[in-house]
Amino acid sequence: MTHRLTIWLVCLGASFIHSQKPITKVNQDRLENRIFELAKFGLQTNGETERVAFSEADVKARKWVIETLEKQGLEVSIDFAGNIVAFRKGIKSGLKPISFGSHIDRVPNGGNYDGCVGSMAALEVIETLNENKINTKHPLEVIIFSNEEGGVMGSRAMSGHLGKGALEVVNSTGFSMGEGIMRLGGDTTRIADVHRKKGDMAAFLELHIEQGGILEKENLNIGIVEGIVGLKWWDVVFTGFANHAGTTPMNVRQDALLAAAKFIVAVNEVTNSFEGSQVGTVGRIKAAPGAPNVIPGKVVTSLEIRDLSSAVIENVFQAIKTKGEEIAAQSNITIEFRPLDTTAAPALTDMAIQKEIETSATKLKLTHKYMPSGAGHDAQDMATIAPTGMIFVPSKGGISHSPKEFTSAKDMANGANVLLQTLLALDKKLD
Amino acid sequence: MTHRLTIWLVCLGASFIHSQKPITKVNQDRLENRIFELAKFGLQTNGETERVAFSEADVKARKWVIETLEKQGLEVSIDFAGNIVAFRKGIKSGLKPISFGSHIDRVPNGGNYDGCVGSMAALEVIETLNENKINTKHPLEVIIFSNEEGGVMGSRAMSGHLGKGALEVVNSTGFSMGEGIMRLGGDTTRIADVHRKKGDMAAFLELHIEQGGILEKENLNIGIVEGIVGLKWWDVVFTGFANHAGTTPMNVRQDALLAAAKFIVAVNEVTNSFEGSQVGTVGRIKAAPGAPNVIPGKVVTSLEIRDLSSAVIENVFQAIKTKGEEIAAQSNITIEFRPLDTTAAPALTDMAIQKEIETSATKLKLTHKYMPSGAGHDAQDMATIAPTGMIFVPSKGGISHSPKEFTSAKDMANGANVLLQTLLALDKKLD
C-alpha cells in the first residue's frame, strides 16, 4: 500500500508538473516589429503606405517576406499564380500539409493590418516553433496569397475558381492580373496547375483583423469565424412618370424617387425584422432625369443581401420583394428586380476546427465569440478545398481599408497564439 | 299714363333686345388652323416640330407672325430684346395700352400649344375685333415675347430683370442670348431701353395651356390664375460614415442614404400635411461612394418648394427642416441645408382682373376655377410692372414640353373668347 501510494504520488506529481508547463507563446514585440517593418514597403512622404498588388512596393515586400521565411529554414517557392508557398517538413511521412497564411497586398490608401496581421503571425508561428524546437507530424505550409484585394486572385487560382477573363482585369497599378502574375514570378500559361484538389491539404487556417468593430465593441479578444457570408446583388428599377415639379399636384405624381426612398427604408426594416446577422444594403442610386424641378420618372438602386445561409438570403430577398411590390402599387409606379452576376455562395468553416479554436482560446484565457465574416477572404476559397478555420482579432473602430486601421500588439499576439495552439491541436488530431 | 307705359315698354324692348345681342366670339376653326400653320415652322421628318429660340425655325415663324399681324393693320416693331410688339390704336387719347400675348419659341422636342395658344389667340382676338369693327378706348398691344423657354428672356428685359450675365447663357442652338437677340432683330447695346415702368401699361393679359392636368381632370373649361408660384431651392447634405456593407452590422451603421430616404418620405408627408396647393420635390440625389457593397457615407439631395405665398414656402421649409434634423439625430448622421441661388418670388395676378376673367367666363357659360400656376410664364415678370391677368385652358393629361401636348379647338376658342371679353370689360372700366 505504501508502494502504491508512492506510485500514486509520483503520478500526481508528474501530472501537476505537466499542467504547470507553460503554454508555448509567440513573441509579441517581434510580431509587432514585423508589422512595422512590412509597413515600410510603399511608405509615402505623408506617412501612409501604398502597396497595391503588382506595384513596386508589393514586389519588394514579397522579396523581404521570402527572405525572412527562408531564414527560418523554410523551402520557399512561388506558384504559377504568384502565391508565396513556404514549406516546413513534418516528422511523419505521407501526411498532407496544414496550411496557414493571408496576404500582404493592400487596397489603394489602405492600412497596415488587413492581411498583414495574418501573414506576419504565420511567420511568427514558424519562428516560435523553431525557437521551441517543436516539430509537427504534418508538414506546415505558410501561404502568402497574391492579389487578395483585387479579387482574391491567388486563392481563387488555388481553389480552381479563377476564370480566364479575370486575367484581363486591370488594377490601379495599370497592370492586368495576367501581367501582374508574371511580375510576381508566376506563369499565366500554367496557372491551371496551381489548382489543388480536396484532400491536398489537411487543413487551412487564417488569422485576420475583424472589420465590423464587433469584437472591440463587445470587448472580446477572439472571433471564431463560422463562415464567410455569401452575397447576392440586384438592380432595382422603379418606373414612374417624369413631370414638371411646379405644375404637377402632389396627389397625382408618379414619383419614382419617393417610391425608391420608401423601398430603401423598407430594405432596412425587413432586414432587421429577421433574427440573425444578415445585412441588407442599398449603396447605389441614380434618379432620372435628375433635376431639382422635375419629378423623377425613373430610379435605379442597388440591393445587396449577405448572410452565412443561402436560404436566409433568399428569404430576406422575398420579404423585401413583397414589400417593394406593395410600395410600388401604392405609389402608382412599377418595380423590377434584376439579379446581377455578382453572387458568392456562403463559405462555411469546419466545425471541428471552430471547436479547436475555441478550446485554444479558452486555454489561453481569451474571451471569444462565434461570428460570421461579412467580408470576403482567401479562406473563403480555401474552404471549398480544405477543412478551414478562421480567427479574428479586434480592429479599432472596425475600420479597415483605411490608413486608420489599427490592432494592438497584444491583440495580434492573442490571435497568433490561438493560431499556434489550434495548429498544434490539429496536428495531433488529424491524420 | 299711356305715354309713360309706352316709354316703359320701349325701354323694356330695348333692354330685351340688348340682352339678346350675341356675345362677340372668335373664329374657332381659324384659331386652330393658325396653330397648325405655326407648327409647320421647324417641322421635322418624324412629324415633330423643333423651334428653340434663335433657331432658323424661330426666325422664320416670327417673320410669319409679323406679317400676319401687319395684315390685320397693326403697327409691328421688334424691341431691343427681340420681342415682337404689335400696336392697334385706341379711340381715346392719353390712355396706356392694354397688352396681351405669349410666346412661340419652344423647348427642344416640345409641343405645338405651350405659348402658341396664347400667341395665336392674341392674333385671333385682333382679327375678331377688326371683323366686328370694334374699336377700343385703349390702344391694344400684342406682344410675342422672345425666348420664353430659355428663361423668360423678353419679359425679363421688359420688366427690367434681365442681368448682363444672362446674355452669355447659350441655348441648344449654340447661340448665346446676346447673339440670339441680335439674330431676332434686337440690340443688346440698347436692351436697357426696353424696360417699362409701372404705369406704362393699363393691363397685361396672357392665355396659356394649364400644365398640371387639373382642369382636364376636374372637367373644367377655364382656369383663373391667382398668381405664378414662387420657388426656393436647397441642397440637402447628409453626412454619415462610409463602411463595408459586409462587415458592418445593421445596428452600428451610419447610413447617409437610409437617412436621406427617410427625409425624402418626410418631404412628401410634411408638404401634404399643409392645407393648400404647395408642392415639395426631391428631384436630384447623389450617394457617395456609390457602390453596392459600401454603405453610403455622404448623400446630397435637392429640395424644391413652390407656393403662391413666400410665407407658406418658409413655413413648409421650416417643418421639413425640423423633421430632417430629427431623422438625422435618430440616424446618427448630420444634415445640412444649403440654400441655392435659384429662387423666384411668387407673382400675384391682379384681383380685379381675376374677377373680370370670372365674369367673362360666367357670361360665356364656361365652368372655371381659381388656381395657381405652378410653372413660370412671361406674365410672371409682367405682373411686376402692370396689373396682370392670366387665363388657363386644359391641356390633355397635363402634358407639356412634349410633342404629346394637345388642347382641343373648342378649349382654345373658349380661352380666346374669355381673353376677348376680359379685354373689352377692362377697356370699359380702366382709364
Side-chain angles (χ1 to χ4, degrees):
Chain A
M1 190 162 169
T2 307
H3 180 68
R4 274 194 163 171
L5 181 68
T6 307
I7 291 169
W8 185 81
L9 282 170
V10 168
C11 288
L12 185 71
S15 167
F16 185 71
I17 287 160
H18 179 73
S19 78
Q20 286 296 301
K21 188 187 165 195
I23 300 168
T24 309
K25 286 193 182 167
V26 302
N27 182 328
Q28 179 176 313
D29 292 345
R30 187 168 59 199
L31 174 54
E32 192 178 41
N33 283 334
R34 285 237 172 82
I35 286 287
F36 296 155
E37 198 70 22
L38 181 57
K40 289 182 186 165
F41 295 95
L43 188 66
Q44 313 285 301
T45 50
N46 64 2
E48 296 172 4
T49 300
E50 278 292 356
R51 197 169 62 242
V52 174
F54 319 143
S55 65
E56 199 59 32
D58 185 37
V59 170
K60 285 188 176 161
R62 286 163 52 91
K63 189 163 172 285
W64 171 78
V65 168
I66 289 167
E67 286 166 6
T68 312
L69 286 163
E70 282 174 339
K71 274 183 203 158
Q72 290 305 314
L74 273 61
E75 195 180 295
V76 187
S77 62
I78 295 172
D79 73 12
F80 298 130
N83 297 309
I84 298 170
V85 181
F87 197 79
R88 186 178 191 261
K89 280 188 188 131
I91 52 176
K92 188 173 170 187
S93 66
L95 293 182
K96 298 293 182 186
I98 296 175
S99 308
F100 52 107
S102 192
H103 65 96
I104 63 164
D105 67 296
R106 304 165 31 144
V107 296
N109 198 27
N112 293 331
Y113 297 84
D114 181 343
C116 302
V117 170
S119 301
M120 295 304 98
L123 223 158
E124 177 57 32
V125 162
I126 293 291
E127 194 153 0
T128 303
L129 291 174
N130 286 352
E131 279 177 341
N132 291 277
K133 298 188 172 53
I134 299 174
N135 289 310
T136 52
K137 282 193 312 183
H138 295 77
L140 300 182
E141 194 181 47
V142 172
I143 308 178
I144 309 298
F145 293 100
S146 59
N147 189 22
E148 193 266 356
E149 297 292 3
V152 287
M153 183 183 82
S155 49
R156 267 161 81 202
M158 203 174 271
S159 61
H161 298 133
L162 192 70
K164 276 260 170 195
L167 297 183
E168 289 163 23
V169 176
V170 176
N171 77 3
S172 65
T173 62
F175 293 112
S176 69
M177 276 198 201
E179 292 163 343
I181 285 170
M182 301 305 285
R183 255 177 89 76
L184 300 187
D187 184 343
T188 49
T189 66
R190 301 177 68 186
I191 201 163
D193 296 351
V194 170
H195 182 190
R196 301 204 193 178
K197 287 170 198 64
K198 272 190 185 177
D200 284 352
M201 285 179 186
F204 177 78
L205 297 172
E206 183 172 7
L207 169 67
H208 204 280
I209 60 168
E210 190 258 316
Q211 294 164 276
I214 297 167
L215 292 177
E216 190 203 29
K217 205 176 166 202
E218 300 183 13
N219 201 24
L220 295 170
N221 304 123
I222 296 291
I224 302 157
V225 179
E226 299 164 291
I228 292 98
V229 300
L231 64 85
K232 273 198 167 187
W233 283 12
W234 292 262
D235 265 352
V236 190
V237 183
F238 305 81
T239 308
F241 193 81
N243 221 327
H244 194 300
T247 61
T248 315
M250 300 299 282
N251 63 343
V252 302
R253 296 176 171 211
Q254 293 174 266
D255 186 336
L257 182 55
L258 178 60
K262 289 178 179 172
F263 175 77
I264 291 166
V265 175
V267 166
N268 190 264
E269 287 172 355
V270 170
T271 306
N272 283 330
S273 73
F274 283 73
E275 297 232 333
S277 50
Q278 67 287 334
V279 288
T281 306
V282 178
R284 186 166 64 192
I285 186 166
K286 192 166 163 45
N293 55 356
V294 183
I295 300 156
K298 187 171 179 182
V299 172
V300 183
T301 74
S302 61
L303 170 63
E304 182 195 81
I305 306 172
R306 300 193 190 212
D307 194 68
L308 269 187
S309 151
S310 293
V312 169
I313 292 177
E314 184 59 25
N315 290 344
V316 172
F317 172 65
Q318 286 302 333
I320 287 174
K321 187 163 177 276
T322 301
K323 189 71 191 163
E325 284 162 355
E326 274 173 36
I327 290 167
Q330 286 156 9
S331 309
N332 197 18
I333 63 127
T334 64
I335 191 169
E336 189 194 345
F337 293 84
R338 296 182 185 159
L340 299 181
D341 270 352
T342 308
T343 57
L348 300 182
T349 56
D350 184 80
M351 289 183 72
I353 299 183
Q354 290 173 21
K355 280 285 160 209
E356 288 303 339
I357 294 171
E358 184 179 14
T359 306
S360 300
T362 305
K363 199 165 87 173
L364 290 156
K365 298 190 170 55
L366 299 172
T367 53
H368 52 269
K369 77 176 285 183
Y370 281 77
M371 63 194 307
S373 168
H377 297 290
D378 290 312
Q380 183 167 1
D381 280 282
M382 303 318 288
T384 65
I385 55 166
T388 291
M390 195 163 186
I391 303 155
F392 274 166
V393 288
S395 177
K396 191 160 189 270
I399 295 168
S400 70
H401 290 188
S402 157
K404 292 182 185 163
E405 268 176 18
F406 178 73
T407 296
S408 72
K410 184 73 198 150
D411 282 329
M412 289 192 285
N414 286 341
N417 283 324
V418 173
L419 175 64
L420 173 59
Q421 292 308 317
T422 305
L423 186 156
L424 292 174
L426 291 176
D427 183 52
K428 276 190 192 137
K429 295 203 173 170
L430 297 174
D431 287 325
Chain B
M1 192 169 166
T2 306
H3 179 67
R4 275 187 161 177
L5 181 68
T6 308
I7 290 168
W8 186 81
L9 282 171
V10 168
C11 289
L12 184 70
S15 166
F16 184 70
I17 288 161
H18 180 72
S19 76
Q20 285 297 300
K21 188 187 166 194
I23 300 169
T24 308
K25 286 192 181 166
V26 303
N27 183 326
Q28 178 176 313
D29 292 344
R30 186 168 60 199
L31 173 54
E32 191 178 42
N33 283 335
R34 284 236 172 82
I35 287 287
F36 295 155
E37 196 72 20
L38 181 57
K40 291 182 184 167
F41 293 95
L43 188 66
Q44 312 286 299
T45 49
N46 63 1
E48 296 173 2
T49 300
E50 280 293 357
R51 198 168 62 240
V52 173
F54 318 145
S55 65
E56 199 57 35
D58 186 37
V59 170
K60 283 186 178 163
R62 286 164 53 91
K63 187 163 175 286
W64 172 76
V65 167
I66 290 168
E67 285 166 7
T68 313
L69 286 162
E70 283 175 339
K71 273 182 201 156
Q72 290 304 315
L74 272 63
E75 194 180 297
V76 188
S77 61
I78 294 171
D79 74 12
F80 297 130
N83 297 309
I84 297 169
V85 181
F87 196 80
R88 185 177 191 261
K89 281 189 186 133
I91 52 178
K92 188 173 171 187
S93 65
L95 293 182
K96 297 295 181 184
I98 295 174
S99 307
F100 53 108
S102 192
H103 65 95
I104 62 164
D105 67 297
R106 302 165 35 145
V107 294
N109 198 27
N112 293 329
Y113 297 85
D114 181 342
C116 301
V117 170
S119 300
M120 294 303 98
L123 222 159
E124 177 57 34
V125 161
I126 292 292
E127 193 154 0
T128 303
L129 291 173
N130 286 351
E131 279 178 342
N132 289 276
K133 300 190 171 52
I134 299 173
N135 289 310
T136 52
K137 280 194 317 186
H138 294 77
L140 300 183
E141 193 180 47
V142 172
I143 308 179
I144 309 298
F145 292 100
S146 59
N147 190 21
E148 192 267 355
E149 297 293 1
V152 286
M153 183 185 82
S155 49
R156 267 161 81 203
M158 205 174 269
S159 61
H161 298 131
L162 192 71
K164 275 261 169 192
L167 296 184
E168 288 161 25
V169 176
V170 175
N171 77 3
S172 65
T173 63
F175 293 111
S176 69
M177 274 199 203
E179 291 163 342
I181 286 171
M182 302 306 282
R183 256 176 88 75
L184 300 186
D187 185 344
T188 50
T189 65
R190 302 177 68 185
I191 201 164
D193 296 351
V194 169
H195 182 190
R196 301 204 191 178
K197 283 167 202 68
K198 273 191 185 177
D200 283 351
M201 285 178 187
F204 176 78
L205 297 172
E206 182 172 8
L207 169 66
H208 203 280
I209 60 168
E210 190 259 313
Q211 293 163 275
I214 298 168
L215 292 178
E216 189 203 30
K217 204 174 165 206
E218 300 184 12
N219 201 22
L220 296 170
N221 303 123
I222 296 291
I224 303 159
V225 179
E226 298 164 293
I228 292 98
V229 299
L231 64 86
K232 274 198 167 188
W233 282 13
W234 293 261
D235 265 350
V236 190
V237 183
F238 304 81
T239 308
F241 192 80
N243 220 327
H244 194 300
T247 61
T248 315
M250 299 300 283
N251 62 344
V252 302
R253 297 177 171 209
Q254 293 175 268
D255 185 337
L257 182 54
L258 178 61
K262 288 177 180 171
F263 174 78
I264 291 167
V265 175
V267 166
N268 190 264
E269 287 172 355
V270 170
T271 306
N272 283 330
S273 73
F274 283 73
E275 298 232 331
S277 49
Q278 67 287 335
V279 289
T281 306
V282 178
R284 187 166 63 192
I285 186 165
K286 192 164 162 47
N293 55 354
V294 184
I295 299 155
K298 187 172 179 182
V299 172
V300 183
T301 74
S302 61
L303 170 62
E304 181 194 84
I305 307 172
R306 300 193 190 212
D307 194 71
L308 268 185
S309 151
S310 294
V312 169
I313 292 176
E314 184 59 25
N315 290 344
V316 172
F317 172 65
Q318 286 304 334
I320 287 173
K321 187 163 178 278
T322 300
K323 189 73 192 161
E325 283 162 355
E326 275 173 35
I327 291 167
Q330 285 156 8
S331 310
N332 197 17
I333 64 129
T334 63
I335 191 169
E336 190 194 343
F337 293 85
R338 296 183 184 157
L340 299 181
D341 270 351
T342 307
T343 57
L348 300 181
T349 57
D350 184 80
M351 290 184 72
I353 299 183
Q354 288 174 22
K355 280 285 161 208
E356 288 302 338
I357 295 171
E358 185 179 12
T359 304
S360 299
T362 304
K363 198 165 89 174
L364 289 157
K365 299 190 170 55
L366 298 173
T367 53
H368 53 268
K369 78 176 285 185
Y370 281 78
M371 63 194 305
S373 168
H377 296 290
D378 290 311
Q380 183 166 359
D381 280 282
M382 302 318 289
T384 65
I385 55 165
T388 290
M390 194 163 186
I391 303 156
F392 273 167
V393 287
S395 177
K396 193 160 186 271
I399 296 169
S400 68
H401 290 189
S402 158
K404 292 182 186 163
E405 270 177 17
F406 178 73
T407 295
S408 72
K410 182 75 199 150
D411 282 329
M412 290 192 284
N414 286 341
N417 282 324
V418 172
L419 175 64
L420 172 60
Q421 292 307 318
T422 304
L423 185 158
L424 292 174
L426 291 176
D427 183 52
K428 277 192 188 133
K429 293 201 172 171
L430 298 175
D431 287 324

